[in-house]
């Protein structure tokens, strides 16, 4: 019988606005990542050379985020020279993919202690600056691949989700995130980013907007309407969805995920490692799943990913206490809740990426930590974390408190 994969700790930086005026713009991404790795080591009193691997998600692997940023960050920490580093790109699912890979290594017995996580400095390394094979003209025209925002508007239309619904969800995301910040619900996991003198650069998430209102959201123009209608991209979707005569464009900057900088780390290990290093397990990973789905409507894949994770765990949707569904666009969690007939009270209880931001390669690991903190705060047992992924993929992880 293979051993469990336990979560011993989960930390993250605050999310900084992903622009030149953001607080984390002055911090190189490798140092954001090294900071959370150092925090895991310090908080858990880990000696040098005891971690078997460091697996890090990063989507835009170019410029300052190229050359295996995972290994570079290890060399800036006190973890020692022995822990290697691996940088993973499964688009927006990268941060959770690293946790799932760490769990697989630990549960198989091939590794005892692994740090997973992710990093993305969207202010310094612009999204899309690495180019991409998904933009190949033959692929785009042959399959009808469109930007994610158009896919989000298509997903909304197919699920009967209108502009009022996405704006209402976005406002609630802001309100929940601000309430969580004010109540200190992120305090256990958030590690302040400091300068070389130890002075704080950023201590709390800086994206949430206290002045958000239904009226303000209602005045924002759809972000993808021109692309879809004037550049003919809406028509590309008809290759896969010929019955959809018209896409109603309803997503904009206020109901889509924010562009931010940040890093996260999750300590995963088996019971033997816990005993050896004096660690207390917070949860164990019940199951993981990743699936491919139709690539035009790429954002519906969290549903089959969640279903596969539940099947592997021998669980039903009713067995899950809390859900973290990445708010890439408001239609994604709304469609997820509709599909599973979920109460809003169980989903993204402390807000999500619309308010807090989506630092691509780090988000999945951040959501896992957020889910674990929320389970502990509310005295609950199980959580399911899931993200939609570009190119038509979905990923999910189920955790259970120890």
């Amino acid at each position: 019988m293979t051993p469990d994969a336990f979560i011993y700790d989960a930390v993250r930086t605050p999310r900084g606005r992903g622009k030149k005026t953001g607080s984390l713009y002055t911090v190189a991404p490798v140092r954001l990542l090294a900071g959370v790795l150092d925090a895991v080591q310090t908080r858990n009193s880990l000696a040098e050379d005891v971690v078997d691997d460091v697996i890090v998600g990063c989507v835009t692997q170019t410029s300052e985020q190229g050359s295996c940023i995972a290994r570079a960050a290890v060399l800036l920490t006190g973890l020692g020279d022995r822990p290697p580093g691996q940088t993973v790109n499964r688009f927006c699912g990268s941060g959770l993919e690293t946790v799932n890979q760490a769990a697989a290594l630990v549960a198989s017995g091939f590794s005892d202690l692994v740090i997973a996580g992710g990093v993305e400095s969207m202010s310094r390394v612009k999204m899309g600056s690495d180019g991409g094979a998904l933009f190949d003209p033959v692929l785009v025209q042959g399959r009808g691949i469109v930007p994610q925002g158009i896919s989000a508007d298509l997903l909304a239309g197919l699920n009967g989700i209108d502009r009022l619904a996405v704006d209402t969800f976005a406002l609630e995301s802001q309100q929940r995130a601000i309430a969580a910040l004010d109540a200190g619900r992120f305090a256990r996991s958030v590690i302040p980013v400091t300068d070389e003198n130890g002075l704080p650069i950023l201590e709390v998430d800086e994206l949430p907007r206290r002045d958000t209102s239904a009226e303000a959201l209602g005045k924002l123009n759809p972000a993808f309407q021109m692309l879809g209608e004037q550049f003919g991209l809406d028509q590309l979707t008809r290759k896969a969805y010929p019955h959809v005569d018209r896409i109603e464009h309803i997503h904009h900057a206020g109901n889509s995920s924010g562009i931010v900088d940040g890093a996260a780390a999750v300590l995963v290990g088996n019971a033997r490692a816990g005993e050896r290093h004096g660690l207390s397990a917070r949860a164990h990973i019940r199951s993981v799943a990743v699936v491919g789905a139709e690539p035009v409507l790429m954002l519906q894949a969290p549903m089959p990913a969640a279903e596969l994770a539940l099947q592997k765990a021998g669980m039903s949707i009713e067995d899950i206490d809390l859900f973290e569904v990445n708010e890439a666009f408001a239609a994604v969690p709304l469609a997820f809740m509709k599909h599973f007939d979920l109460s809003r009270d169980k989903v993204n209880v402390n807000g999500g990426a619309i308010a807090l931001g989506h630092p691509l390669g780090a988000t999945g690991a951040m959501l896992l930590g957020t889910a674990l903190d929320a389970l502990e705060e509310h005295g609950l047992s199980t959580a399911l974390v899931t993200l939609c992924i570009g190119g038509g993929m979905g990923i999910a992880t189920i955790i259970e408190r120890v």
Side-chain angles (χ1 to χ4, degrees), residues 215-227:
E215 293 75 21
L217 291 171
K219 293 177 182 177
L220 295 175
N221 293 323
F224 306 98
Q225 187 165 356
M226 181 179 292
L227 277 176

Side-chain angles (χ1 to χ4, degrees), residues 167-182 206-213 217 253-256 258 327 344 348 350-357:
D167 282 356
T168 300
F169 183 91
L171 178 58
E172 192 167 51
S173 179
Q174 293 281 357
Q175 293 170 337
R176 289 184 176 198
I178 290 165
L181 285 166
D182 290 348
E206 69 175 342
L207 191 69
R209 296 179 60 102
R210 294 178 182 272
D211 60 348
T212 302
S213 66
L217 291 171
N255 57 35
S256 305
E327 297 173 3
R344 179 72 178 92
N348 300 0
N350 290 322
I354 289 172
L356 295 162

Side-chain angles (χ1 to χ4, degrees), residues 101-113:
Q101 288 191 20
L105 286 168
V106 168
S108 69
F110 290 138
S111 296
D112 291 331
L113 198 62

Side-chain angles (χ1 to χ4, degrees), residues 371-385:
L372 180 52
D373 286 345
L375 287 177
E376 291 173 342
E377 178 185 358
H378 296 287
L380 299 173
S381 179
T382 57
L384 186 151
V385 180

Side-chain angles (χ1 to χ4, degrees), residues 4 122 141 165 193 240 260 320 325 352 363 387 389:
D4 277 326
M122 301 180 76
Q141 293 295 327
V193 178
V260 292
I320 304 299
V325 183
T363 304
L387 300 91
I389 304 173

